[in-house]
């Protein structure tokens, strides 16, 4: 199979196998594959999706929040939702967090409870009159799984609280984890006894808790640390989180001994540095530290955003590096034909996950690193980003009998592994590209994916499996063909895909589901016919024409035909369009087949409103850069931005000396502060509304 259809097809296959395994395990209670194999598939899918973010689909098994409650564990609705934490990776973000708290509480050196961020599984324990009655996983934060029987086997979790004045109800939240040493001992034991080994301590903890047989859980070395409260009745809470933790300790609950209190930015960053230095010697895995505003009255003042408190922050540790071996070097072909090399490696644990693939970015990077098959390499995984190869350990390079490297330096393929077209690299460009254009199925799939995406034509439900099938079964050559599809075509295609994959049973119910799916999809495609010029321009996928350039072009020309007719000189006159982008746009429209696609889109009913050209040099805000910050009561920031742009303004995301006006809404933060510092013109919402009204926007 070809190299780039490979990731898309492999992803589709992995999703099918994982969904199938989930169904067998949870619904039929008849596991089809061992846990480690499941984990391996999942990891492969995660790594593939990380290497190909454009192929991530919302319905992929990797996209579930927590785990859907299984059929076998009862569901538990958390009386108080289990929240997640906002993340920070830099000192600057931490600084902003503390500054924001200072501003909103008036306390400019606030006290924090600072804690290791344990890498396990969040759970909630419910005690009624001191007796452990129920334990649940976090699940999706609102509903989790009842794992009481399993938690009763975790020896550090008290079945009865200590002391006299016990609350009527006490829900304690915390992390179930597996100490690193215990994890290793367990795996040695498992190997000797022919039992399954665990992939890593985190998976070990999570997998152990979700065992249907508590006797299995009982054999696993699980621990627990408490770090938060849920529902509490019949008790007077202390005034601070740190006092609560002390109280929980008195009640007999384990609290992580590395928890401290720290004051201000200096205090928390000092803690971060100290824990970071101890990281490898701590008995448990952590992936960062957590800062929680200590005083409850201050926590209340800060409140929440969506599902995370504004009074807490997870400060993640940076990149982690590991050593592994390159098994092969592959390439992927993207939407614009970019040929991106990546390496397939011997699986390795980096920062708690197993990685098998790492990106090499481009041919320059390969040449710089001189990565070859068989090389020992250092891979790095920073936060949740795509793993990358940092360097080659040259002294470990495999040699032949004469002491010469076994493998020659890697060369990018000269022909596209997907369509066979020539791969070329333009002068001064780092990226090599397949010249096949839309002839290349890999590029066609990516072009369709981009065309349908939310910020382009916004066709809901155009998943990656569907698009791949459209191209593979030849239903769609150009994006315009989408608008000729019928419900019948989709059903026929689905039948062919299912037949080939040997997946779906021919039941009446399945037939109905399929019809509904096809009808919805056709309706979504139909709805996208009514679009805007800027969406269409972005959707066409002209190289280097992103959303913002598409918007500028739409505004500048007002209509498509004048843009198509524009010369490079006319295009360079458009703000933010330089000579390279101008050339790309002109070349795109000069290609007959691109003009044919546009004609076909129009013929198939795709339409948008056209208007008079609006040059940036016109309008009351012409040449003015405006930054919007904070929340507006009367409209969204996007809407306000569009109105300001209609008046000639350029809307930017960051404040600098060049900014003309800063519109500061509710709870504006660091951008407002910076604007004040720079002495910029600052408008409140009333002033904005008055200005818009005056200019009829
Ligand atoms: S507090 C209201 N404290 O991080 C805040 N969470 O991203 C609720 N975690 O699901 C969480 N160590 O699994 C808190 N010391 C700690 C933690 C911690 C690890 C995990 C927990 C949670 C996730 C949030």
């Amino acid at each position: 199979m070809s190299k780039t259809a490979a990731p898309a097809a492999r992803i589709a296959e992995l999703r099918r196998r994982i969904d199938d395994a989930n169904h067998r395990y949870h619904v039929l209670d008849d596991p089809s594959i061992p846990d480690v194999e499941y984990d391996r598939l999942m990891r492969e899918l995660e790594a593939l999706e990380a290497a190909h973010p454009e192929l991530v689909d919302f319905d992929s098994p990797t996209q579930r929040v927590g785990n859907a409650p299984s059929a076998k564990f009862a569901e538990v609705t958390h009386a108080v939702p289990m929240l997640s934490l906002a993340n920070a990776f830099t000192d600057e973000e931490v600084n902003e967090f503390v500054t924001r708290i200072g501003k909103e509480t008036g306390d400019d050196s606030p006290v924090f409870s600072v804690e290791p961020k344990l890498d396990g599984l969040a759970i909630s324990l419910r005690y009624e009159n001191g007796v452990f009655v129920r334990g649940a996983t976090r699940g999706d934060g609102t509903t989790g799984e009842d794992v009481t029987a399993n938690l009763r086997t975790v020896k550090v979790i008290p079945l009865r609280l200590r002391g006299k004045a016990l609350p009527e109800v006490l829900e304690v939240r915390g992390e179930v984890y597996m100490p690193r040493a215990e994890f290793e001992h367990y795996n040695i034991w498992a190997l000797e006894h022919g039992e399954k080994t665990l992939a890593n301590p985190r998976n070990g903890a999570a997998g152990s808790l979700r065992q249907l047989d508590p006797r299995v859980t009982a054999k696993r070395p699980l621990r627990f640390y408490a770090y938060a409260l849920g529902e509490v009745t019949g008790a007077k809470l202390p005034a601070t989180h740190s006092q609560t933790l002390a109280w929980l300790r008195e009640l007999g609950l384990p609290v992580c001994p590395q928890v401290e209190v720290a004051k201000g930015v200096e205090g928390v960053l000092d803690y971060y540095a100290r824990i970071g230095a101890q990281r490898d010697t701590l008995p448990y895995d952590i992936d960062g530290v957590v800062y929680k505003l200590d005083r409850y009255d201050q926590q209340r003042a800060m409140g929440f955003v969506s599902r995370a408190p504004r009074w807490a922050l997870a400060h993640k540790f940076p990149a982690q590096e590991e050593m592994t071996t390159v098994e092969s070097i592959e390439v992927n072909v993207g939407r614009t034909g970019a040929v991106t090399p990546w390496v397939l490696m011997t699986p390795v644990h980096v920062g708690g996950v197993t990685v098998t693939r790492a990106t090499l970015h481009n041919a320059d990077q390969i040449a710089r690193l001189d990565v070859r098959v068989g090389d020992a390499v250092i891979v790095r995984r920073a936060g949740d980003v795509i793993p990358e190869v940092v360097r080659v350990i040259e002294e470990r390079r495999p040699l032949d009998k004469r002491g010469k490297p076994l493998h020659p330096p890697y060369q990018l393929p000269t022909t596209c592994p997907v369509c066979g077209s020539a791969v070329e690299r333009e002068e001064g460009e780092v990226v090599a590209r397949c010249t096949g254009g839309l002839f290349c199925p890999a590029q066609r799939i990516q072009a369709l994916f981009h065309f349908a995406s939310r910020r382009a034509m916004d066709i809901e439900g155009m998943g990656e499996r569907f698009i791949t099938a459209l191209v593979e079964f030849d239903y769609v050559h150009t994006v315009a063909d989408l608008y000729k599809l019928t419900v019948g075509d989709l059903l026929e295609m689905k039948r062919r895909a299912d037949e080939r994959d040997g997946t779906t049973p021919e039941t009446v119910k399945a037939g109905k589901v399929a019809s509904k799916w096809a009808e919805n999809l056709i309706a979504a495609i139909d709805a996208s016919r009514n679009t805007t010029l800027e969406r269409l321009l972005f959707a066409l996928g002209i190289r280097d024409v992103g959303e913002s350039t598409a918007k500028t072009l739409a505004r500048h020309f007002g209509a498509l035909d004048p843009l198509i007719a524009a010369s490079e000189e006319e295009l360079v006159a458009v703000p933010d369009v330089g000579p390279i982008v101008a050339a790309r746009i002109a070349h795109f429209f000069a290609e007959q087949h691109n003009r044919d696609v546009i004609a076909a889109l129009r013929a198939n009913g795709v339409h948008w409103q056209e208007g008079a050209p609006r040059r940036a040099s016109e309008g009351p805000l012409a040449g003015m850069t405006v930054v919007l910050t904070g929340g507006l009561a009367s409209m969204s920031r996007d809407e306000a931005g569009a109105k300001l742009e209609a008046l000639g303004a350029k809307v930017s995301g960051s404040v600098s000396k060049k900014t003309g006006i800063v519109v500061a809404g509710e709870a504006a933060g660091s951008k407002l502060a910076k604007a004040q510092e720079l002495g910029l013109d600052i408008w409140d919402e009333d002033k904005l509304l008055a200005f818009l009204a005056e200019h009829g926007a």
Side-chain angles (χ1 to χ4, degrees):
M1 172 172 275
S2 58
K3 292 282 163 59
T4 339
R10 180 71 184 152
I11 284 176
E13 193 203 343
L14 287 167
R15 287 181 186 157
R16 272 196 303 281
R17 286 176 60 184
I18 291 168
D19 284 343
D20 186 50
N22 273 331
H23 179 75
R24 293 274 300 260
Y25 184 91
H26 294 301
V27 182
L28 306 180
D29 203 13
D30 172 26
S32 51
I33 52 170
D35 284 1
V36 281
E37 168 76 355
Y38 177 89
D39 292 343
R40 198 186 61 70
L41 294 176
M42 199 67 176
R43 281 197 304 273
E44 190 189 345
L45 179 58
E46 281 165 356
L48 259 183
E49 289 182 343
H52 305 277
E54 70 282 2
L55 299 181
V56 176
D57 229 2
F58 83 97
D59 60 0
S60 170
T62 57
Q63 303 299 301
R64 292 178 197 268
V65 181
N67 281 309
S70 75
K72 283 302 163 84
F73 292 110
E75 284 191 6
V76 174
T77 303
H78 300 297
V80 177
M82 292 182 75
L83 302 168
S84 55
L85 294 169
N87 284 332
F89 289 94
T90 62
D91 290 3
E92 205 194 336
E93 288 170 279
V94 174
N95 203 4
E96 274 174 27
F97 166 71
V98 179
T99 308
R100 191 159 59 236
I101 288 175
K103 215 170 272 155
E104 293 181 36
T105 62
D107 180 354
D108 54 22
S109 191
V111 173
F112 294 91
S113 173
V114 290
E115 318 176 0
K117 186 168 189 303
L118 305 155
D119 206 4
L121 188 75
I123 57 148
S124 185
L125 304 173
R126 186 178 173 93
Y127 290 88
E128 291 178 0
N129 300 311
V131 179
F132 175 50
V133 294
R134 193 166 60 232
T137 60
R138 175 168 181 268
D140 62 8
T142 311
T143 310
E145 292 172 311
D146 186 334
V147 287
T148 312
N150 287 340
L151 287 170
R152 290 177 66 90
T153 71
V154 178
K155 294 186 190 65
V156 298
I157 294 180
L159 298 179
R160 204 171 259 284
L161 298 178
R162 299 155 70 97
K164 294 231 168 62
L166 297 172
E168 266 159 48
V169 174
L170 177 70
E171 279 187 356
V172 181
R173 270 86 194 256
E175 202 86 350
V176 165
Y177 67 96
M178 194 177 278
R180 244 199 313 261
E182 301 274 5
F183 159 79
E184 312 233 351
H185 291 154
Y186 178 84
N187 270 353
I188 293 168
W189 176 89
L191 276 177
E192 284 171 0
H193 291 79
E195 297 254 9
K196 282 177 285 188
T197 56
L198 306 170
N200 58 48
R202 206 202 77 79
N203 283 15
S208 303
L209 262 199
R210 300 191 74 263
Q211 288 293 328
L212 292 167
D213 183 351
R215 287 168 301 183
V216 176
T217 313
K219 286 191 211 157
R220 306 284 173 84
L222 297 177
R223 299 279 188 282
F224 170 77
Y225 279 139
Y227 53 53
L229 293 178
E231 192 187 0
V232 182
T233 60
K236 191 173 172 321
L237 289 186
T240 65
H241 177 70
S242 53
Q243 286 165 358
T244 293
L245 293 181
W247 177 53
L248 293 178
R249 264 198 201 106
E250 279 171 28
L251 292 174
L253 288 152
V255 173
C256 176
Q258 276 72 35
V259 172
E260 298 180 15
V261 290
K263 212 169 154 48
V265 187
E266 292 79 358
V268 300
L269 290 181
D270 172 63
Y271 179 75
Y272 178 81
R274 280 187 290 118
I275 294 291
Q278 290 173 41
R279 183 178 186 185
D280 289 337
T281 55
L282 289 172
Y284 44 78
D285 274 349
I286 59 175
D287 55 354
V289 295
V290 183
Y291 310 139
K292 299 174 185 167
L293 193 53
D294 202 31
R295 277 169 50 182
Y296 287 141
D297 60 342
Q298 294 183 335
Q299 287 190 3
R300 277 190 292 274
M302 295 302 295
F304 299 84
V305 276
S306 61
R307 312 206 28 219
R310 293 180 68 240
W311 44 261
L313 187 71
H315 190 182
K316 297 290 198 79
F317 288 130
Q320 274 210 297
E321 297 183 353
E322 273 300 341
M323 195 178 75
T324 184
T325 309
V326 174
E327 295 189 345
S328 65
I329 302 177
E330 313 278 338
V331 299
N332 161 53
V333 183
R335 171 167 67 85
T336 57
V339 173
T340 314
W342 53 275
V343 292
L344 185 67
M345 305 167 302
T346 308
V348 62
H349 299 297
V350 188
V353 289
T354 304
V355 301
T356 49
R357 285 145 211 266
T359 178
L360 287 167
H361 302 296
N362 53 52
D364 273 3
Q365 175 94 336
I366 294 202
R368 191 172 61 72
L369 295 169
D370 186 18
V371 181
R372 306 185 192 186
V373 174
D375 275 350
V377 290
I378 303 288
V379 279
R380 176 164 61 198
R381 190 177 154 268
D384 293 328
V385 304
I386 306 168
E388 59 178 356
V389 174
V390 183
R391 66 193 161 85
V392 171
I393 304 169
E394 246 175 85
E395 51 282 19
R396 299 206 184 194
R397 174 161 285 162
L399 304 175
D400 64 15
K401 281 189 233 99
R402 283 167 299 152
K404 293 256 161 20
L406 201 55
H407 299 279
Y410 176 79
Q411 302 272 313
L412 267 194
T414 51
T415 57
C416 173
V418 179
C419 72
S421 304
V423 167
E424 285 174 5
R425 192 166 151 178
E426 278 174 37
E427 280 262 327
E429 275 257 338
V430 282
V431 178
R433 285 171 208 277
C434 160
T435 53
L438 293 181
F439 167 74
C440 176
Q443 293 187 53
R444 228 185 298 154
I445 288 172
Q446 296 309 326
L448 279 165
F449 207 73
H450 171 76
F451 183 81
S453 65
R454 197 169 57 81
R455 313 204 72 129
M457 299 300 276
D458 192 18
I459 307 179
E460 216 176 302
M462 289 256 299
E464 170 270 326
R465 180 176 178 218
F466 169 65
I467 290 177
T468 307
L470 280 177
V471 172
E472 282 177 359
F473 290 104
D474 232 15
Y475 282 85
V476 167
H477 282 269
T478 76
V479 293
D481 295 336
L482 280 177
Y483 295 96
K484 289 196 288 202
L485 291 171
T486 63
V487 169
D489 290 337
L490 297 194
L491 290 176
E492 180 190 78
M493 185 192 80
K494 184 170 182 340
R495 255 196 309 280
R496 289 169 65 186
D498 287 340
E499 223 170 80
R500 182 196 54 186
D501 307 338
T503 39
T504 312
E506 287 285 337
T507 63
V508 176
K509 180 149 182 269
K512 280 196 185 139
V513 171
S515 307
K516 191 77 206 143
W517 161 80
E519 279 162 23
N520 287 344
L521 206 44
I522 294 294
I525 292 173
D526 186 41
S528 76
R529 282 191 165 91
N530 180 8
T531 187
T532 62
L533 180 55
E534 63 185 70
R535 276 183 181 273
L536 177 84
L537 289 176
F538 177 53
L540 288 175
I542 306 166
R543 250 176 81 195
D544 290 341
V545 176
E547 256 185 301
S548 122
T549 307
K551 193 186 270 186
T552 315
L553 290 170
R555 189 143 24 92
H556 187 92
F557 289 95
L560 185 57
D561 289 329
L563 168 60
I564 293 178
S567 65
E568 281 184 41
E569 292 83 79
E570 286 170 285
L571 286 163
V572 177
V574 179
D576 292 338
V577 174
I580 295 175
V581 180
R584 297 221 198 287
I585 298 169
H587 286 165
F588 182 89
F589 289 117
E591 291 264 5
Q592 184 59 44
H593 75 90
N594 288 332
R595 289 210 302 271
D596 290 345
V597 168
I598 289 166
L601 282 169
R602 278 177 158 150
N604 292 339
V606 176
H607 59 277
W608 54 90
Q609 225 177 12
E610 303 207 320
R614 267 183 289 122
R615 303 289 136 111
S617 55
E618 295 162 15
L621 294 177
M624 183 77 87
T625 303
V626 180
V627 174
L628 292 147
T629 178
L632 299 174
S634 53
M635 64 185 104
S636 71
R637 276 211 299 260
D638 276 355
E639 277 172 81
K643 286 179 197 277
L644 290 165
E645 281 173 345
L647 298 176
K650 179 177 185 314
V651 175
S652 158
S654 57
V655 174
S656 75
K657 278 189 301 220
K658 292 192 190 129
T659 308
I661 300 163
V662 173
V663 178
E666 199 58 36
S670 59
K671 290 180 190 171
L672 173 58
K674 184 150 182 205
Q676 285 163 339
E677 206 174 288
L678 293 170
L680 303 177
D681 191 2
I682 298 168
W683 291 9
D684 62 11
E685 183 162 0
D686 288 342
K687 180 146 185 197
L688 171 71
L689 292 176
F691 184 87
L692 293 178
E694 189 186 329
H695 294 91

